[in-house]
Amino acid sequence: MYGFSKFYKYPLPLLLLSLWLVAVFLLSDPPAHSQHPVISNKEKYQSTLLAKRIMPSTLTENVRKTVLENGLTVLTKEVHTAPVVTVQVWYKVGSRNEEPGVNGIAHQLEHMMFKGTRNRPIQFGRLFSALGSDSNAFTSYDQTAYYGTVERNKLKALLVLEADRMRNTQIEPEQLASEKRVVISELQGYENSPEYRLNRAVMQAVFPNHAYGLPVGGTKADVEKFEVEQVEKYYRNFYSPDNAVLVIVGDFQTANTLETIKEVFGKLPRRQEAGVISPSSPSLSTQHGLNAPLTLTSLSTPIVLREPGAGRLLQVVYPLPDANQPDVPALDVMDYILTEGRNSRLYQALVESGLASEVTASVTSLRESGWYEVLVTAGAKQDLKKIDSMLSSAIANVAEKGMTSEEVERAKTQLTADVILSNRDITSQAMRLGTDETTVGDYRYTDRYLAAVRLVKPADVVAVINKYLTKEARTVGFFEPTQKRITEVADKPDLTQTTENFSPGAPVLFSEVMKYLPPVDLATDAIAQVLPDEFKFTNGLRILLLPDRSTPTVTMSGHIQAGTEFDPDNQAGLAAFVADNLLNGTNSKDVLTIAKVLAERGASLDFQSYREGVHIEGDSLAEDLPILLEILADVVKNSNFPVKELELHRQQNLTDLQQELDEPSEVARRVFVQSIYPKKHPLHTFPTEESLEQIQRQDVIDFKAKHYRPDTTVLALVGDFDLDKVRSLIKNKFGDWEVSGQAPTLKYPPVAMPEKIVSVNPVLPDKAQAVTYMGYTGINRYDPRFQAALVLNQILGGDTLSSRLGAEVRDRQGLSYGIYSSFQAGKNAGTFLIEMQTSPEDSSKAIASTRQILQQIHQQGVTALEVETAKRTLISNYNVSLANPEELTDRILMNEVYGLDKGELHFFTDKIQKVTLDQVNQAARELLHPDKIVVVTAGPSVLAEKSIR
């Protein structure tokens, strides 16, 4: 779903299966080396070694920049590793171009850009879905971007659609009113978060007279006042070719594509003088933020928020220079030294000491200013003033005593590897180019940035700490929760009827979509039938290897049959406890050594427990794969779970649990699952304070010994490696992993459907947004209806803009920011689930509308044209996903885990194509039960006083 950006650690844009943009960090025009005239021979050697090891070639060497006569900047980069292409349009406007009174108008316009044009008065989400495009958008401080990734034969169609809405978007009163409700619902979701509320208060104090101090998404008060004329003028002033950057990355021919771009975009006119909307007038007059002097401030006393929530929070913000300053590389290296990993200075000072359960930070560098933001989650019963004092002392200690060359080199390696590893797919590569070009005006920034990072010395890091991280410059915020999060769960009347005058409109016919769809060859390109090589060792370990030389990286996914389904009744959370502590020490390495070995190479390794297993995720530069595999083998075979680390993790878990139970989505999920599955069922249990306190070290050791076995482990690797060498390496590292006895198994008991509608309302006081889960037990991966269910789900709620649910509940009525459905099918029967976020006052209507759509499809079925559209979308999305190494690796892995033929990687689309209308409608009759459904809405107590009928 489209939204606005949130900033994370990495210095360049990453899409988080979220979905949002991260910060960008830029350099001044002078070459970086001019800032460091004296470099020792040792430093020269280290920098050269780092450059050769991580940067075999520049990231932008085959990028071509073209500027059309109307001012449109075009960036093209050919990447021929898969028959897909990404198209992105970046506008040089964001919340920076706003002021109080019209805060959020850039975000509001971003939503309206999907509503249709004069030439195509149809929801653009339906057009993108018909193309099979993985499309979305976001608003940030300095830019707004729209992006889609498709099979290469649909490139021109995407270009035509983007050109159309650059010029011809219509802002209709009824649609604006509906979408304002959607935006307000989105903002209410953010308001549920104490971190968001604290950040908003601190940033307003840091930037009292600049738009960087305003929330990117806007405020409810301003959004409610937006008028059609305001939004239209904002659109006319900022959405034009001379204020935009078109980025295309993927499998295309540059010369031919540039001719197409000139044909499609070349006729669009330049804009007139741009401005900003005055809060007292709909006219666009001044350029607030572009020319106004920037005033930064700091407060001598902390901002204190005493509001409902869970857990104490500390936020500290230090103003930094704008993106064009040469200190940015040293600031980023500083951030990695302070907060990245177990060996980082602030982690050691705050988390290892037990004062905090988590510390995160990020450097943000934008066109007109920047800031360094540190967020600390306090440990149980810890005082925020004490934590703040320790934070200041730790930073001052680094400035006073400095840091080792080893620390600096490790931070530089981590930072550089993160940039490389974040560029494995074409969408991310285009995101990086778009960010650089729209923020600093130079798509080559990343190459210059990495060159400058390699030259950072310890003295440079100390210098930026002394220059920017002073107590006088900072602004501090405290969040102090005032009450408990959740009260009693109240039963609700059955949802047997609705008092709403809701009449679902007829679904948009595919013929109507085709009427507005640009001409395209709907025949998909054949995907190369490359399959992984599969090996099984004598101890039962299975590995799947697929060489891919497109980037100098390796992506690893793994699965161990040791998931939360094996949690004992009184020790819910044990499986996660084991997975989370594997990296905390082995017989030969302590936790800091493990963290240091990975950090020195910029590699990552993580274990995450799920219902049916533990997922292993790892990545590294190609030449560091032996180290990654060595650490993996050591921890799965020899982890020893030190008492100190287990207790530290327990306290962190207890703090995390407290925060989770303050989130409507987590509360709704828990209550929903426990309302479907009875006690003693493997899916019923969730961690509680009591269950976490019950877990002892011996329990962890015993669980690990029982469930972590080579014969229930699968590893899949995709990347730049030699097949025989990697197979031999894995055999050497894992061959002595021994098996004892038979692997533990579980048999899930059958679960009956609810006899009627079960409605439950867990109350979370003072939340701005409600979250609803609806559903019941579903099917497993082996169900013969599985493919038909996928097609059915795509029509019902697979997309929040083009599906039946999205078109009615979200798009027409504006009741929800996002509404989705899914069949969660694994080895065992999962759940059928519909999830939506609404304003509390809209929950009843949204639930009633959803039930009527379920009833309509259950009784009347879907149309042949809907089935064909859904099949096309699923096939296109699947083919696009295979171009992403992370998704490709996961698909290879899970096909093996489910016992499917490795050819399923390519058979899947054939199976979808063969699904018939009769099969989908039969699935609708058998799998959709609007009158036998569990409905859980977590939100404000006002809901408990309403009758949802």
Side-chain angles (χ1 to χ4, degrees):
M1 192 52 235
Y2 35 75
F4 58 84
S5 74
K6 180 172 177 61
F7 286 80
Y8 297 90
K9 173 171 292 293
Y10 304 128
L12 290 164
L14 297 171
L15 288 178
L16 305 182
L17 284 175
S18 164
L19 298 173
W20 297 344
L21 189 71
V22 298
V24 62
F25 306 90
L26 306 164
L27 296 175
S28 59
D29 290 333
H33 60 74
S34 66
Q35 307 299 323
H36 307 279
V38 180
I39 302 176
S40 70
N41 288 334
K42 180 180 179 181
E43 287 168 337
K44 285 182 180 178
Y45 171 75
Q46 290 173 331
S47 297
T48 301
L49 182 64
L50 184 67
K52 289 181 178 178
R53 198 173 76 81
I54 296 183
M55 294 294 296
S57 62
T58 64
L59 295 175
T60 59
E61 63 181 352
N62 65 333
V63 176
R64 178 172 173 178
K65 180 176 180 178
T66 306
V67 180
L68 303 189
E69 290 184 4
N70 61 4
L72 178 66
T73 297
V74 182
L75 301 177
T76 54
K77 180 180 181 181
E78 294 185 26
V79 179
H80 299 290
T81 54
V84 297
V85 62
T86 187
V87 174
Q88 303 183 1
V89 179
W90 294 65
Y91 294 95
K92 300 175 187 178
V93 60
S95 65
R96 177 179 59 85
N97 304 89
E98 300 171 357
E99 59 187 25
V102 288
N103 181 207
I105 196 165
H107 180 219
Q108 183 70 63
L109 176 57
E110 173 219 312
H111 279 240
M112 298 307 298
M113 289 287 285
F114 285 82
K115 288 294 190 177
T117 66
R118 290 191 296 272
N119 299 328
R120 294 177 174 85
I122 186 174
Q123 164 60 254
F124 264 47
R126 296 192 182 109
L127 299 177
F128 293 136
S129 179
L131 284 175
S133 174
D134 182 9
S135 295
N136 219 312
F138 66 83
T139 301
S140 189
Y141 291 97
D142 290 335
Q143 59 269 115
T144 304
Y146 303 82
Y147 57 95
T149 303
V150 293
E151 295 155 308
R152 64 186 174 194
N153 58 318
K154 298 165 185 174
L155 169 59
K156 184 175 181 179
L158 269 190
L159 292 174
V160 170
L161 291 177
E162 291 297 352
D164 188 18
R165 63 177 176 173
M166 178 182 285
R167 175 66 175 168
N168 301 311
T169 292
Q170 284 190 303
I171 316 294
E172 300 288 351
E174 183 178 348
Q175 291 182 336
L176 177 60
S178 172
E179 204 63 26
K180 281 163 62 174
R181 293 182 72 177
V182 172
V183 169
I184 290 170
S185 174
E186 179 183 354
L187 298 179
Q188 288 172 326
Y190 304 134
E191 289 287 339
N192 281 352
S193 166
E195 291 93 335
Y196 175 84
R197 304 199 301 272
L198 179 62
N199 176 264
R200 181 180 57 193
V202 173
M203 290 299 291
Q204 286 176 341
V206 176
F207 296 99
N209 302 309
H210 193 278
Y212 286 162
L214 301 175
V216 173
T219 63
K220 180 181 178 182
D222 283 359
V223 170
E224 286 177 331
K225 293 183 294 186
F226 290 156
E227 298 177 357
V228 169
E229 187 181 10
Q230 287 178 301
V231 182
E232 282 182 336
K233 288 192 175 183
Y234 194 90
Y235 170 67
R236 288 198 299 270
N237 277 270
F238 291 110
Y239 279 61
S240 61
D242 53 313
N243 197 45
V245 177
L246 172 64
V247 186
I248 305 176
V249 177
D251 191 15
F252 62 93
Q253 298 300 319
T254 300
N256 295 338
T257 300
L258 286 175
E259 289 302 315
T260 301
I261 291 169
K262 292 174 184 177
E263 172 194 341
V264 173
F265 283 90
K267 57 191 175 186
L268 302 184
R270 290 175 176 265
R271 62 177 173 167
Q272 298 175 345
E273 278 299 313
V276 72
I277 301 173
S278 166
S280 59
S281 168
S283 66
L284 297 174
S285 54
T286 64
Q287 292 207 32
H288 176 82
L290 292 174
N291 299 318
L294 179 62
T295 302
L296 302 177
T297 188
S298 63
L299 300 179
S300 57
T301 58
I303 298 167
V304 181
L305 295 188
R306 292 186 174 89
E307 298 176 356
R312 294 179 174 86
L313 301 172
L314 164 68
Q315 185 166 54
V316 182
V317 174
Y318 300 87
L320 296 181
D322 64 71
N324 288 312
Q325 301 305 313
D327 286 333
V328 171
L331 286 164
D332 289 333
V333 173
M334 172 205 75
D335 176 38
Y336 273 66
I337 291 170
L338 290 179
T339 64
E340 179 63 20
R342 296 292 295 264
N343 288 282
S344 64
R345 296 299 189 93
L346 295 185
Y347 188 96
Q348 288 292 309
L350 300 176
V351 180
E352 289 288 351
S353 67
L355 287 173
S357 67
E358 185 179 22
V359 56
T360 59
S362 62
V363 174
T364 300
S365 299
L366 302 176
R367 290 181 66 165
E368 296 178 10
S369 186
W371 57 88
Y372 185 51
E373 174 185 333
V374 182
L375 179 66
V376 183
T377 303
K381 301 179 181 178
Q382 297 295 334
D383 181 68
L384 290 177
K385 291 182 179 179
K386 181 179 179 180
I387 294 174
D388 184 32
S389 176
M390 183 62 73
L391 171 68
S392 297
S393 297
I395 293 174
N397 184 62
V398 177
E400 179 182 347
K401 298 182 180 179
M403 72 286 300
T404 65
S405 295
E406 180 186 20
E407 279 183 287
V408 174
E409 291 304 311
R410 183 166 63 240
K412 288 158 60 175
T413 301
Q414 287 178 285
L415 196 162
T416 307
D418 282 342
V419 173
I420 304 301
L421 291 167
S422 70
N423 270 276
R424 285 172 289 181
D425 65 277
I426 62 171
T427 301
S428 297
Q429 292 177 43
M431 284 283 175
R432 191 174 302 278
L433 294 172
T435 302
D436 291 351
E437 185 69 22
T438 56
T439 307
V440 75
D442 183 7
Y443 71 87
R444 298 162 298 187
Y445 162 72
T446 297
D447 292 331
R448 293 193 292 115
Y449 171 86
L450 292 176
V453 166
R454 292 196 292 271
L455 299 177
V456 172
K457 306 186 300 293
D460 300 323
V461 179
V462 171
V464 294
I465 293 176
N466 286 326
K467 186 175 181 180
Y468 299 109
L469 269 60
T470 64
K471 293 192 76 169
E472 297 75 24
R474 71 191 194 131
T475 300
V476 179
F478 291 168
F479 180 83
E480 295 277 6
T482 58
Q483 64 185 63
K484 280 282 189 181
R485 297 86 53 206
I486 185 168
T487 62
E488 291 298 316
V489 173
D491 288 334
K492 295 295 297 165
D494 288 345
L495 279 118
T496 55
Q497 296 179 346
T498 175
T499 56
E500 305 295 340
N501 292 320
F502 167 70
S503 178
V508 176
L509 296 176
F510 184 65
S511 57
E512 186 75 3
V513 175
M514 291 300 294
K515 175 181 174 182
Y516 298 115
L517 198 67
V520 63
D521 178 10
L522 290 178
T524 59
D525 286 302
I527 304 297
Q529 300 290 308
V530 179
L531 295 175
D533 284 276
E534 182 177 356
F535 306 96
K536 184 175 182 180
F537 299 141
T538 55
N539 60 5
L541 175 66
R542 290 166 286 164
I543 61 171
L544 298 106
L545 306 176
L546 182 61
D548 175 9
R549 310 289 184 180
S550 59
T551 64
T553 65
V554 176
T555 302
M556 177 176 68
S557 288
H559 178 94
I560 302 176
Q561 190 175 306
T564 58
E565 61 187 1
F566 290 108
D567 277 347
D569 291 340
N570 64 337
Q571 292 181 321
L574 177 57
F577 224 81
V578 176
D580 294 343
N581 282 278
L582 287 171
L583 290 165
N584 284 345
T586 68
N587 298 334
S588 60
K589 301 179 184 70
D590 63 18
V591 59
L592 296 181
T593 300
I594 293 171
K596 180 180 176 182
V597 169
L598 291 171
E600 285 176 341
R601 290 154 180 84
S604 68
L605 180 62
D606 184 57
F607 298 85
Q608 182 71 47
S609 59
Y610 294 98
R611 182 187 72 178
E612 291 186 341
V614 171
H615 183 69
I616 305 168
E617 183 177 347
D619 50 40
S620 73
L621 300 170
E623 66 179 48
D624 293 324
L625 178 59
I627 301 296
L628 182 65
L629 290 173
E630 179 182 336
I631 295 295
L632 173 62
D634 192 21
V635 298
V636 296
K637 292 189 295 184
N638 305 313
S639 52
N640 59 1
F641 306 107
V643 173
K644 176 187 174 184
E645 301 300 334
L646 284 178
E647 290 309 311
L648 179 62
H649 181 72
R650 189 196 312 276
Q651 295 307 311
Q652 292 172 336
N653 265 12
L654 290 170
T655 301
D656 292 344
L657 177 63
Q658 188 181 40
Q659 292 183 317
E660 286 176 4
L661 294 181
D662 187 53
E663 297 176 5
S665 60
E666 177 62 24
V667 173
R669 183 178 73 90
R670 281 180 171 235
V671 175
F672 172 75
V673 170
Q674 292 187 326
S675 298
I676 294 174
Y677 300 104
K679 291 181 179 179
K680 304 299 182 182
H681 191 282
L683 301 187
H684 183 85
T685 57
F686 282 87
T688 64
E689 291 184 9
E690 293 75 18
S691 71
L692 293 175
E693 293 286 5
Q694 289 286 330
I695 297 172
Q696 303 300 312
R697 179 171 182 265
Q698 192 59 48
D699 300 320
V700 175
I701 293 172
D702 292 344
F703 186 97
K704 195 262 182 178
K706 182 178 181 181
H707 295 284
Y708 281 68
R709 309 163 49 96
D711 55 343
T712 63
T713 300
V714 183
L715 296 177
L717 287 84
V718 174
D720 187 7
F721 55 75
D722 179 270
L723 193 69
D724 292 333
K725 288 182 179 179
V726 171
R727 179 180 58 180
S728 177
L729 179 64
I730 294 176
K731 184 176 181 180
N732 178 263
K733 298 298 181 183
F734 294 87
D736 61 349
W737 192 6
E738 297 179 353
V739 178
S740 177
Q742 295 296 314
T745 58
L746 273 178
K747 185 175 181 180
Y748 283 29
V751 177
M753 293 287 295
E755 296 182 358
K756 58 182 180 179
I757 296 171
V758 178
S759 181
V760 188
N761 175 208
V763 176
L764 282 80
D766 300 299
K767 291 298 181 183
Q769 186 189 64
V771 175
T772 296
Y773 274 43
M774 304 172 64
Y776 36 75
T777 188
I779 60 176
N780 63 32
R781 178 62 180 83
Y782 314 106
D783 194 298
R785 300 167 295 183
F786 176 72
Q787 283 79 22
L790 293 182
V791 176
L792 171 64
N793 183 74
Q794 182 65 28
I795 296 168
L796 172 65
D799 183 279
T800 201
L801 291 179
S802 63
S803 65
R804 290 268 194 109
L805 290 174
E808 180 60 37
V809 179
R810 187 216 176 280
D811 199 45
R812 190 181 77 81
Q813 299 189 64
L815 298 176
S816 174
Y817 169 57
I819 180 168
Y820 302 91
S821 64
S822 63
F823 285 93
Q824 301 173 338
K827 285 185 174 182
N828 296 282
T831 55
F832 167 69
L833 169 67
I834 297 172
E835 179 184 4
M836 70 180 92
Q837 305 90 39
T838 62
S839 297
E841 60 271 18
D842 289 335
S843 296
S844 299
K845 186 175 182 180
I847 292 168
S849 298
T850 299
R851 283 195 54 241
Q852 288 209 13
I853 291 172
L854 287 173
Q855 188 74 38
Q856 183 185 59
I857 296 179
H858 172 74
Q859 292 179 344
Q860 302 173 20
V862 299
T863 68
L865 290 173
E866 283 182 297
V867 169
E868 290 307 309
T869 304
K871 286 160 57 175
R872 250 190 301 270
T873 299
L874 289 170
I875 290 170
S876 296
N877 288 343
Y878 182 83
N879 288 337
V880 168
S881 75
L882 296 186
N884 185 316
E886 292 184 351
E887 293 189 50
L888 172 61
T889 310
D890 282 343
R891 289 190 183 276
I892 291 172
L893 173 76
M894 295 313 296
N895 285 343
E896 178 65 24
V897 170
Y898 292 140
L900 305 174
D901 188 287
K902 65 179 181 179
E904 179 71 14
L905 190 65
H906 302 296
F907 298 157
F908 175 81
T909 54
D910 294 335
K911 292 178 179 179
I912 293 294
Q913 186 58 52
K914 292 176 181 176
V915 172
T916 66
L917 172 64
D918 288 343
Q919 289 173 330
V920 175
N921 283 334
Q922 180 179 351
R925 291 190 296 271
E926 295 174 355
L927 300 177
L928 299 184
H929 305 285
D931 296 322
K932 297 180 179 181
I933 193 169
V934 172
V935 181
V936 176
T937 300
S941 57
V942 64
L943 290 170
E945 300 166 8
K946 288 186 175 183
S947 176
I948 304 177
R949 291 177 290 173

